[in-house]
Amino acid sequence: MAGELPFIGRADELGALHSWLGEAIDAGPRAVLLRGEAGVGKTRLLDRFAADVVRNQPGVVVLRATCYPDAPVPYLPLATALRPIADLASLLRPLIDDTPEHADERRLHLYVGAADLVQRAAASRPLLLVIDDLHWADQATIDLLGHLLHVVGPMMSVLPHRPVSSGPIVELTERMRRAEWHRELDVFGLDRFSLHDLVEALTGERPARKLLDGLAEASGGNPLLVRSLLSRLEAFGVLALRDGRLTHRGREEILAGPAELDGLLRHRVRDLSRPCLEMLVVAAFLGEGGQLQDARAVMGTDETRFARLVDEAVDAGVLRDHETVRFDHPQVRYVMYQRPRGPRRQELHLKVADHLEALSNEDPARVVAIAHHLRRAGARADPDRVIRACLAAASHAAAVVAWGEAARAYDAAIEGAERSDEGPSAMRALLHARSAYAHWYNHDNPGAYEHASAAIELARPLGDLTIWAEALTSLAKSLWSGETGAWGSSFDFKPFDDFLDLAGEREPLLRARVHHVRGTLRFMSTDVDRARDDLDTALALATAVDDARTIGEVTFARASVHIADNELSEATEAYEKAYAFDSMVGNELHLVSGHRAIATVRWIVGDLDEAAAQAQVALEMGPPIAAWAECANAAAVAAGVAVAQGRLDDAEDFGTTAERLMRWAGHPPAAQLLYPALACARTLRGDFEGAHEALDAWAMVTSPGIKRFRSLVHAHEGNVDAVAVHRPRPPLDQPKSFSTASLAAAIEIGDLLDDIDRIAWAAPGITYLAERGVRFDLGWCSFLPRLTGVAALRLDRLDDAARWLDLAAVEATRAGAVIEARRVAADQERLLAAGQSTRL
């Protein structure tokens, strides 16, 4: 387990701090109240911010110090922080009578002198003052700091502190909020994306959804608590790798021990009475925002006694409200929620579920909460009751795109069905099929595959074609979205073949769906002819039964085959037709896919502005429906298009987004566009080490085709010995689209290394593709008109070279491909020189 916590996420927070520093430099002082619980990452954020300032704004003086509890010396944090610009200690020496009656004069001397020192320093260089852990500051430090915040000049003060309801800091923050120059920034727990990155950084392994969900609930995304929990799970030996993901054995709930929780907060509740603590535990189980009267009902306490318990908690600063569950600090709830263990915990979950069910309210949030508590009640809850509650919760969760909650609910229903001991049944098969569907939408491809396989094993002997087809669809999606979803992958088609054999001529719509997913898998395995047959059969069946949703999905897949066949106009038409059907039936995920797919085909044909616009639409439409895998694809397309247009910085930015989304969604296919594009961008910059790093990252995900790109980088850097040797083989006269990268790389490498045999092999294929309208290769962004001209030039076909390079010049300019336009101009100079040489 990594020791030091890495810096993860916080891009928005960093951006805000840098923006406010700019305001302070340009318009006068700014003071930032930076609030967050212990361990949430305030100090790491400020470490990164200060490092950025030192590196990028060397004219700014960074002044920093930390407050400590029970510090014996007043003013110590300020004296420490200001030491580089002022000797505060000299002002603290009693230059006048130190009797009590002259205290005001001494304070005036200190305040005026300190302000003068700070203002003179700020007049020459901007100041960044950071006083960490301000909640521990003594009254004297707070008072002097409050005065210095008013100093006029380019100074930004950042005051990190924990949420507190009492102490010297409270009055200061209230005064600051009345000033227009104050700013506030709350640092919360990490979101699921950043939490995923943190776990991967700490453990070196990609976390499974089960582990992420458990850590998120137990920690609220608090990085320090996450590390402690992981260390605890590792020490207990319950962390394990499964399907290439780090998970934990046992039930989904992860509980923190007392050592993991903040000592100050434990101290805050230490003196509360046992009945008050019990009330707080029940309130924590009900959750933030619940009604305290619900806690009274669960406890069975009379109203007068319960009111006294609430008063006790409010007076102690643990609760903020007498009516609603509002803990004063997020970790106070964690302390209370994780207090009961074992049978007592299960019993309390069951009591809460009983009470919520008795309310007879169909509020979706309550339905989900009931299922949550019942599944946490374990064997104490009746299996049939668990199944009913979890099915209702899964339905509500799916309706609001909470696919993780839906997947957990289905899994709990499956456990309930197994506890009922009724043996294999259509119900269990259906639960597994629905769970597979939810796991796939939750970007848990291994989980989707596992449940889909279980559903097929149950449905096959029952002859239930409906459940079998549903499970096959999720099985196929988990395959083409997951680790195996790369070009040239091999798949087991037997489950699909068996279904179609058993179905015969029955159930045309179910057969259409199975032909669709089998055809898509065949396409992924580059068996284009049989993929085309499957998809055409699926389209005919879906059209016969007039199922618009299936027609849209099959038409979309058929467009990919058109691209493979280099039928680009037909591909565009098919994507647009699919989009119309998807709009008709409200298939939101496919609408996002449609924009991304249209962006891809516009990229191929050289309409780069439209490609960038379509990719951006996909990136905007995807997040509200949690379409993170498709967003990863869209960001990878945007990165590639940026490379094609020579916007190399934008390519890196989109690449960072694509990589993060790809890893979060467990969607390796995005790597096939992302990493070649990044390698190309870095090669164009001359950053060959960075290009190899991009290819190394690709090799960690999925590796088809890396060898040719590795040779391209070596050729550009002049490392001839590392370039793969060209082995003579028959030329590709009419290649499929997935041969484009090999052909383009061969010509570029051949040109760089003067390897005419390599160029001669690739020239017929690259010319055929360019004549079919292909302008850019997906990934590395090779510009085919230019490479076709280069091939003709190197093979001494000068008229053909002139024709293609003239076309390349026009189309590079039209596409905004500035780097390619310059390369075309250089190639035209080479052509001119070759022509003159021939005439001589």
Side-chain angles (χ1 to χ4, degrees):
M1 192 72 61
E4 183 179 350
L5 278 170
F7 182 79
I8 299 292
R10 307 302 189 197
D12 291 343
E13 293 88 341
L14 265 179
L17 290 172
H18 281 292
S19 173
W20 293 332
L21 177 60
E23 290 180 11
I25 293 172
D26 295 337
R30 295 292 184 271
V32 181
L33 292 170
L34 184 73
R35 182 173 52 248
E37 63 184 88
V40 79
K42 302 184 299 296
T43 300
R44 294 290 291 116
L45 171 62
L46 290 172
D47 287 345
R48 173 57 64 89
F49 175 54
D52 286 351
V53 171
V54 170
R55 181 173 59 253
N56 300 321
Q57 296 176 269
V60 176
V61 180
V62 179
L63 309 169
R64 194 167 178 183
T66 300
C67 302
Y68 297 96
D70 305 320
V73 182
Y75 307 118
L76 180 60
L78 281 173
T80 303
L82 298 177
R83 186 180 299 160
I85 63 167
D87 181 12
L88 196 62
S90 65
L91 297 173
L92 293 170
R93 297 188 188 103
L95 302 179
I96 53 178
D97 190 347
D98 62 353
T99 56
E101 57 268 24
H102 292 97
D104 288 343
E105 295 177 51
R106 292 196 302 275
R107 188 176 296 109
L108 178 64
H109 175 75
L110 171 63
Y111 281 34
V112 172
D116 286 344
L117 289 172
V118 171
Q119 191 152 336
R120 281 199 299 273
S124 59
R125 295 175 67 188
L127 304 180
L128 171 61
L129 173 66
V130 179
I131 306 296
D132 215 343
D133 288 332
L134 196 66
H135 50 277
W136 279 328
D138 60 275
Q139 186 68 59
T141 296
I142 289 290
D143 290 344
L144 178 55
L145 176 63
H147 175 67
L148 294 179
L149 295 179
H150 293 270
V151 170
V152 176
M155 182 175 81
M156 174 172 162
S157 304
V158 185
L159 310 176
H161 63 282
R162 299 180 189 178
V164 293
S165 54
S166 60
I169 188 178
V170 173
E171 183 182 348
L172 174 64
T173 57
E174 289 176 352
R175 289 203 315 269
M176 286 178 59
R177 290 189 177 108
R178 293 193 290 269
E180 63 178 15
W181 41 258
H182 108 282
R183 301 290 184 267
E184 294 193 46
L185 183 62
D186 286 308
V187 181
F188 298 108
L190 298 175
D191 60 25
R192 296 297 176 99
F193 290 96
S194 297
L195 184 59
H196 178 280
D197 295 343
L198 175 64
V199 175
E200 187 171 8
L202 289 172
T203 66
E205 304 290 348
R206 285 180 286 172
R209 285 293 181 267
K210 176 183 175 183
L211 179 61
L212 276 181
D213 292 339
L215 290 172
E217 184 171 356
S219 69
N222 184 298
L224 190 63
L225 187 50
V226 168
R227 185 179 64 180
S228 296
L229 289 168
L230 284 170
S231 296
R232 192 160 174 264
L233 292 171
E234 183 180 50
F236 288 162
V238 296
L239 287 178
L241 281 175
R242 184 179 181 187
D243 298 316
R245 299 288 193 276
L246 187 67
T247 187
H248 66 100
R249 293 189 291 273
R251 300 185 65 83
E252 64 187 74
E253 193 167 26
I254 296 174
L255 299 176
E260 274 89 47
L261 298 169
D262 185 68
L264 284 180
L265 301 176
R266 295 199 306 273
H267 178 78
R268 189 184 295 188
V269 301
R270 185 183 61 185
D271 296 329
L272 295 175
S273 66
R274 180 175 293 276
C276 184
L277 290 173
E278 291 176 358
M279 181 271 295
L280 291 171
V281 167
V282 176
F285 269 59
L286 287 167
E288 198 76 10
Q291 295 299 307
L292 283 171
Q293 283 302 312
D294 289 334
R296 184 180 75 83
V298 172
M299 295 174 67
T301 305
D302 68 76
E303 193 164 344
T304 302
R305 183 163 181 258
F306 185 79
R308 288 200 297 269
L309 299 179
V310 174
D311 287 341
E312 182 182 352
V314 171
D315 291 344
V318 175
L319 288 181
R320 296 184 180 183
D321 199 308
H322 285 80
E323 305 294 333
T324 305
V325 178
R326 292 184 63 227
F327 285 92
D328 186 61
H329 190 287
Q331 273 203 21
V332 175
R333 178 178 175 265
Y334 304 149
V335 172
M336 293 295 101
Y337 178 72
Q338 299 179 74
R339 186 180 178 92
R341 301 297 172 105
R344 164 63 180 148
R345 187 171 191 84
Q346 291 184 337
E347 180 184 350
L348 185 51
H349 275 300
L350 186 59
K351 281 186 175 181
V352 173
D354 289 341
H355 170 69
L356 294 178
E357 276 193 336
L359 295 176
S360 300
N361 191 318
E362 290 301 316
D363 174 34
R366 183 162 289 164
V367 171
V368 172
I370 291 168
H372 165 84
H373 290 292
L374 284 175
R375 71 175 188 255
R376 293 289 169 80
R380 293 175 176 269
D382 175 70
D384 290 337
R385 184 183 176 195
V386 172
I387 294 171
R388 289 193 302 272
C390 286
L391 287 177
S395 177
H396 284 297
V400 294
V401 203
W403 291 109
E405 182 63 33
R408 291 190 291 275
Y410 280 126
D411 290 353
I414 291 169
E415 290 181 12
E418 290 172 348
R419 281 200 292 125
S420 66
D421 198 28
E422 294 180 355
S425 65
M427 170 59 78
R428 285 178 60 184
L430 179 63
L431 290 174
H432 277 292
R434 296 292 164 82
S435 182
Y437 184 81
H439 276 280
W440 181 76
Y441 267 98
N442 194 40
H443 308 291
D444 178 9
N445 291 306
Y449 182 87
E450 177 183 344
H451 283 288
S453 298
I456 291 167
E457 288 304 308
L458 289 167
R460 189 200 315 254
L462 296 171
D464 193 317
L465 294 177
T466 301
I467 297 175
W468 192 352
E470 181 178 340
L472 284 171
T473 299
S474 294
L475 183 77
K477 289 179 176 179
S478 72
L479 289 171
W480 76 54
S481 301
E483 302 291 340
T484 57
W487 293 110
S489 298
S490 297
F491 301 101
D492 178 11
F493 292 103
K494 190 175 186 305
F496 307 90
D497 299 340
D498 289 347
F499 173 90
L500 293 170
D501 289 343
L502 181 63
E505 297 300 315
R506 296 178 294 153
E507 301 290 352
L509 180 56
L510 298 182
R511 285 160 46 216
R513 291 172 179 167
V514 173
H515 275 293
H516 163 225
V517 294
R518 188 176 71 173
T520 302
L521 288 176
R522 282 178 167 164
F523 179 74
M524 298 300 297
S525 65
T526 68
D527 187 354
V528 176
D529 292 337
R530 290 210 285 177
R532 186 189 305 108
D533 291 343
D534 258 327
L535 294 173
D536 287 346
T537 300
L539 189 57
L541 289 168
T543 303
V545 296
D546 196 26
D547 188 88
R549 187 181 190 90
T550 305
I551 293 172
E553 293 184 352
V554 176
T555 303
F556 181 92
R558 189 65 178 83
S560 298
V561 176
H562 284 306
I563 291 178
D565 289 333
N566 299 298
E567 299 167 349
L568 302 179
S569 297
E570 292 86 342
T572 300
E573 182 180 344
Y575 280 135
E576 291 173 348
K577 182 178 178 181
Y579 192 89
F581 277 103
D582 293 331
S583 300
M584 182 192 311
V585 300
N587 190 343
E588 292 182 290
L589 177 59
H590 246 248
L591 290 174
V592 178
S593 300
H595 284 287
R596 186 270 309 161
I598 292 171
T600 303
V601 77
R602 301 321 298 168
W603 177 10
I604 293 172
V605 301
D607 187 357
L608 300 183
D609 287 339
E610 180 63 16
Q614 292 286 341
Q616 187 60 41
V617 172
L619 284 168
E620 292 168 358
M621 289 178 61
I625 60 171
W628 302 117
E630 201 52 75
C631 284
N633 288 333
V637 170
V641 172
V643 173
Q645 290 192 312
R647 296 181 288 109
L648 303 185
D649 289 341
D650 288 345
E652 293 286 351
D653 291 342
F654 281 121
T656 299
T657 299
E659 186 171 39
R660 190 180 189 211
L661 291 170
M662 177 188 71
R663 299 183 76 79
W664 160 256
H667 186 62
Q672 296 170 133
L673 294 181
L674 168 63
Y675 291 117
L678 291 179
C680 178
R682 294 168 187 177
T683 298
L684 291 172
R685 277 201 180 98
D687 177 13
F688 303 119
E689 182 179 354
H692 284 299
E693 287 175 357
L695 297 178
D696 290 341
W698 188 11
M700 296 293 290
V701 181
T702 177
S703 58
I706 288 181
K707 187 176 181 180
R708 71 177 70 97
F709 295 116
R710 187 80 73 186
S711 291
L712 257 176
V713 179
H714 286 311
H716 276 280
E717 64 183 329
N719 187 2
V720 178
D721 293 339
V723 177
V725 176
H726 172 67
R727 303 189 184 282
R729 54 193 188 275
L732 302 175
D733 293 331
Q734 296 185 1
K736 299 293 185 185
S737 66
F738 37 74
S739 296
T740 308
S742 295
L743 297 166
I747 291 175
E748 192 164 349
I749 293 170
D751 186 39
L752 289 166
L753 303 186
D754 201 26
D755 185 343
I756 302 302
D757 288 342
R758 201 183 297 248
I759 295 174
W761 169 78
I766 209 75
T767 303
Y768 170 82
L769 292 169
E771 288 173 343
R772 300 284 290 183
V774 178
R775 292 297 171 257
F776 286 93
D777 169 41
L778 299 179
W780 188 270
C781 300
S782 299
F783 186 42
L784 268 64
R786 183 182 72 81
L787 290 177
T788 304
V790 167
L793 170 62
R794 297 308 304 269
L795 296 173
D796 293 326
R797 300 168 187 162
L798 301 189
D799 289 342
D800 287 342
R803 178 168 57 86
W804 280 108
L805 291 176
D806 286 345
L807 176 66
V810 171
E811 297 206 356
T813 301
R814 181 189 301 143
V818 293
I819 292 177
E820 285 300 330
R822 290 198 296 269
R823 297 174 82 180
V824 170
D827 291 330
Q828 288 176 318
E829 291 291 330
R830 293 164 62 192
L831 174 63
L832 180 62
Q836 291 172 343
S837 175
T838 300
R839 285 193 293 273
L840 289 175

PDB file of all heavy atoms in Angstrom, residues 613-630:
ATOM      1  N   ALA A 613     -17.285  18.979 -33.604  1.00  0.00           N
ATOM      2  CA  ALA A 613     -18.573  19.422 -33.064  1.00  0.00           C
ATOM      3  C   ALA A 613     -19.414  18.233 -32.605  1.00  0.00           C
ATOM      4  O   ALA A 613     -20.039  18.266 -31.537  1.00  0.00           O
ATOM      5  CB  ALA A 613     -19.327  20.237 -34.115  1.00  0.00           C
ATOM      6  N   GLN A 614     -19.448  17.174 -33.407  1.00  0.00           N
ATOM      7  CA  GLN A 614     -20.237  15.993 -33.044  1.00  0.00           C
ATOM      8  C   GLN A 614     -19.671  15.311 -31.808  1.00  0.00           C
ATOM      9  O   GLN A 614     -20.421  14.848 -30.934  1.00  0.00           O
ATOM     10  CB  GLN A 614     -20.275  15.015 -34.224  1.00  0.00           C
ATOM     11  CG  GLN A 614     -21.054  15.499 -35.428  1.00  0.00           C
ATOM     12  CD  GLN A 614     -22.561  15.463 -35.197  1.00  0.00           C
ATOM     13  OE1 GLN A 614     -23.046  14.785 -34.305  1.00  0.00           O
ATOM     14  NE2 GLN A 614     -23.296  16.199 -36.001  1.00  0.00           N
ATOM     15  N   ALA A 615     -18.351  15.232 -31.705  1.00  0.00           N
ATOM     16  CA  ALA A 615     -17.741  14.633 -30.516  1.00  0.00           C
ATOM     17  C   ALA A 615     -18.074  15.444 -29.272  1.00  0.00           C
ATOM     18  O   ALA A 615     -18.344  14.881 -28.197  1.00  0.00           O
ATOM     19  CB  ALA A 615     -16.224  14.532 -30.694  1.00  0.00           C
ATOM     20  N   GLN A 616     -18.095  16.769 -29.409  1.00  0.00           N
ATOM     21  CA  GLN A 616     -18.425  17.628 -28.272  1.00  0.00           C
ATOM     22  C   GLN A 616     -19.870  17.421 -27.825  1.00  0.00           C
ATOM     23  O   GLN A 616     -20.166  17.400 -26.623  1.00  0.00           O
ATOM     24  CB  GLN A 616     -18.183  19.097 -28.637  1.00  0.00           C
ATOM     25  CG  GLN A 616     -18.346  20.056 -27.468  1.00  0.00           C
ATOM     26  CD  GLN A 616     -17.379  19.757 -26.337  1.00  0.00           C
ATOM     27  OE1 GLN A 616     -16.212  19.461 -26.568  1.00  0.00           O
ATOM     28  NE2 GLN A 616     -17.874  19.824 -25.109  1.00  0.00           N
ATOM     29  N   VAL A 617     -20.771  17.256 -28.783  1.00  0.00           N
ATOM     30  CA  VAL A 617     -22.172  16.982 -28.427  1.00  0.00           C
ATOM     31  C   VAL A 617     -22.265  15.687 -27.621  1.00  0.00           C
ATOM     32  O   VAL A 617     -22.983  15.607 -26.610  1.00  0.00           O
ATOM     33  CB  VAL A 617     -23.051  16.901 -29.689  1.00  0.00           C
ATOM     34  CG1 VAL A 617     -24.459  16.431 -29.330  1.00  0.00           C
ATOM     35  CG2 VAL A 617     -23.118  18.261 -30.380  1.00  0.00           C
ATOM     36  N   ALA A 618     -21.543  14.662 -28.067  1.00  0.00           N
ATOM     37  CA  ALA A 618     -21.553  13.392 -27.330  1.00  0.00           C
ATOM     38  C   ALA A 618     -21.026  13.580 -25.914  1.00  0.00           C
ATOM     39  O   ALA A 618     -21.578  13.017 -24.951  1.00  0.00           O
ATOM     40  CB  ALA A 618     -20.726  12.349 -28.074  1.00  0.00           C
ATOM     41  N   LEU A 619     -19.976  14.379 -25.767  1.00  0.00           N
ATOM     42  CA  LEU A 619     -19.405  14.619 -24.436  1.00  0.00           C
ATOM     43  C   LEU A 619     -20.368  15.388 -23.537  1.00  0.00           C
ATOM     44  O   LEU A 619     -20.320  15.256 -22.309  1.00  0.00           O
ATOM     45  CB  LEU A 619     -18.097  15.390 -24.570  1.00  0.00           C
ATOM     46  CG  LEU A 619     -16.893  14.567 -25.045  1.00  0.00           C
ATOM     47  CD1 LEU A 619     -15.730  15.479 -25.418  1.00  0.00           C
ATOM     48  CD2 LEU A 619     -16.480  13.586 -23.963  1.00  0.00           C
ATOM     49  N   GLU A 620     -21.235  16.189 -24.131  1.00  0.00           N
ATOM     50  CA  GLU A 620     -22.214  16.940 -23.333  1.00  0.00           C
ATOM     51  C   GLU A 620     -23.449  16.101 -23.020  1.00  0.00           C
ATOM     52  O   GLU A 620     -24.046  16.234 -21.945  1.00  0.00           O
ATOM     53  CB  GLU A 620     -22.620  18.207 -24.084  1.00  0.00           C
ATOM     54  CG  GLU A 620     -21.486  19.227 -24.198  1.00  0.00           C
ATOM     55  CD  GLU A 620     -21.801  20.352 -25.175  1.00  0.00           C
ATOM     56  OE1 GLU A 620     -22.895  20.310 -25.791  1.00  0.00           O
ATOM     57  OE2 GLU A 620     -20.952  21.253 -25.335  1.00  0.00           O
ATOM     58  N   MET A 621     -23.845  15.221 -23.943  1.00  0.00           N
ATOM     59  CA  MET A 621     -25.044  14.406 -23.736  1.00  0.00           C
ATOM     60  C   MET A 621     -24.789  13.203 -22.826  1.00  0.00           C
ATOM     61  O   MET A 621     -25.703  12.709 -22.171  1.00  0.00           O
ATOM     62  CB  MET A 621     -25.569  13.895 -25.083  1.00  0.00           C
ATOM     63  CG  MET A 621     -26.188  14.954 -25.968  1.00  0.00           C
ATOM     64  SD  MET A 621     -26.717  14.259 -27.563  1.00  0.00           S
ATOM     65  CE  MET A 621     -27.929  13.039 -27.038  1.00  0.00           C
ATOM     66  N   GLY A 622     -23.548  12.732 -22.782  1.00  0.00           N
ATOM     67  CA  GLY A 622     -23.258  11.499 -22.072  1.00  0.00           C
ATOM     68  C   GLY A 622     -23.379  11.556 -20.558  1.00  0.00           C
ATOM     69  O   GLY A 622     -23.991  10.671 -19.949  1.00  0.00           O
ATOM     70  N   PRO A 623     -22.817  12.570 -19.880  1.00  0.00           N
ATOM     71  CA  PRO A 623     -22.813  12.562 -18.415  1.00  0.00           C
ATOM     72  C   PRO A 623     -24.185  12.468 -17.748  1.00  0.00           C
ATOM     73  O   PRO A 623     -24.332  11.726 -16.767  1.00  0.00           O
ATOM     74  CB  PRO A 623     -22.101  13.880 -18.066  1.00  0.00           C
ATOM     75  CG  PRO A 623     -21.174  14.096 -19.222  1.00  0.00           C
ATOM     76  CD  PRO A 623     -21.933  13.627 -20.425  1.00  0.00           C
ATOM     77  N   PRO A 624     -25.231  13.175 -18.220  1.00  0.00           N
ATOM     78  CA  PRO A 624     -26.524  13.058 -17.523  1.00  0.00           C
ATOM     79  C   PRO A 624     -27.094  11.643 -17.490  1.00  0.00           C
ATOM     80  O   PRO A 624     -27.898  11.327 -16.614  1.00  0.00           O
ATOM     81  CB  PRO A 624     -27.444  14.007 -18.320  1.00  0.00           C
ATOM     82  CG  PRO A 624     -26.520  14.982 -18.969  1.00  0.00           C
ATOM     83  CD  PRO A 624     -25.299  14.193 -19.295  1.00  0.00           C
ATOM     84  N   ILE A 625     -26.694  10.798 -18.433  1.00  0.00           N
ATOM     85  CA  ILE A 625     -27.201   9.422 -18.424  1.00  0.00           C
ATOM     86  C   ILE A 625     -26.085   8.434 -18.073  1.00  0.00           C
ATOM     87  O   ILE A 625     -26.221   7.233 -18.289  1.00  0.00           O
ATOM     88  CB  ILE A 625     -27.845   9.040 -19.771  1.00  0.00           C
ATOM     89  CG1 ILE A 625     -26.834   9.153 -20.919  1.00  0.00           C
ATOM     90  CG2 ILE A 625     -29.074   9.897 -20.040  1.00  0.00           C
ATOM     91  CD1 ILE A 625     -27.361   8.570 -22.228  1.00  0.00           C
ATOM     92  N   ALA A 626     -24.990   8.947 -17.504  1.00  0.00           N
ATOM     93  CA  ALA A 626     -23.875   8.113 -17.053  1.00  0.00           C
ATOM     94  C   ALA A 626     -23.314   7.246 -18.174  1.00  0.00           C
ATOM     95  O   ALA A 626     -22.884   6.120 -17.945  1.00  0.00           O
ATOM     96  CB  ALA A 626     -24.297   7.240 -15.869  1.00  0.00           C
ATOM     97  N   ALA A 627     -23.285   7.769 -19.397  1.00  0.00           N
ATOM     98  CA  ALA A 627     -22.750   7.024 -20.543  1.00  0.00           C
ATOM     99  C   ALA A 627     -21.239   7.237 -20.620  1.00  0.00           C
ATOM    100  O   ALA A 627     -20.706   7.769 -21.603  1.00  0.00           O
ATOM    101  CB  ALA A 627     -23.435   7.478 -21.831  1.00  0.00           C
ATOM    102  N   TRP A 628     -20.544   6.799 -19.578  1.00  0.00           N
ATOM    103  CA  TRP A 628     -19.131   7.134 -19.453  1.00  0.00           C
ATOM    104  C   TRP A 628     -18.268   6.418 -20.487  1.00  0.00           C
ATOM    105  O   TRP A 628     -17.263   6.974 -20.946  1.00  0.00           O
ATOM    106  CB  TRP A 628     -18.650   6.829 -18.041  1.00  0.00           C
ATOM    107  CG  TRP A 628     -19.420   7.569 -17.012  1.00  0.00           C
ATOM    108  CD1 TRP A 628     -20.203   7.045 -16.018  1.00  0.00           C
ATOM    109  CD2 TRP A 628     -19.538   8.996 -16.875  1.00  0.00           C
ATOM    110  NE1 TRP A 628     -20.786   8.035 -15.268  1.00  0.00           N
ATOM    111  CE2 TRP A 628     -20.392   9.245 -15.768  1.00  0.00           C
ATOM    112  CE3 TRP A 628     -19.003  10.072 -17.567  1.00  0.00           C
ATOM    113  CZ2 TRP A 628     -20.711  10.531 -15.364  1.00  0.00           C
ATOM    114  CZ3 TRP A 628     -19.324  11.357 -17.153  1.00  0.00           C
ATOM    115  CH2 TRP A 628     -20.169  11.569 -16.061  1.00  0.00           C
ATOM    116  N   ALA A 629     -18.608   5.186 -20.836  1.00  0.00           N
ATOM    117  CA  ALA A 629     -17.826   4.484 -21.854  1.00  0.00           C
ATOM    118  C   ALA A 629     -17.915   5.218 -23.190  1.00  0.00           C
ATOM    119  O   ALA A 629     -16.903   5.410 -23.879  1.00  0.00           O
ATOM    120  CB  ALA A 629     -18.314   3.052 -21.993  1.00  0.00           C
ATOM    121  N   GLU A 630     -19.115   5.639 -23.547  1.00  0.00           N
ATOM    122  CA  GLU A 630     -19.268   6.370 -24.802  1.00  0.00           C
ATOM    123  C   GLU A 630     -18.601   7.733 -24.725  1.00  0.00           C
ATOM    124  O   GLU A 630     -18.068   8.240 -25.722  1.00  0.00           O
ATOM    125  CB  GLU A 630     -20.753   6.504 -25.150  1.00  0.00           C
ATOM    126  CG  GLU A 630     -21.021   6.768 -26.612  1.00  0.00           C
ATOM    127  CD  GLU A 630     -20.339   5.764 -27.534  1.00  0.00           C
ATOM    128  OE1 GLU A 630     -20.818   4.628 -27.616  1.00  0.00           O
ATOM    129  OE2 GLU A 630     -19.321   6.131 -28.158  1.00  0.00           O
TER     130      GLU A 630
END
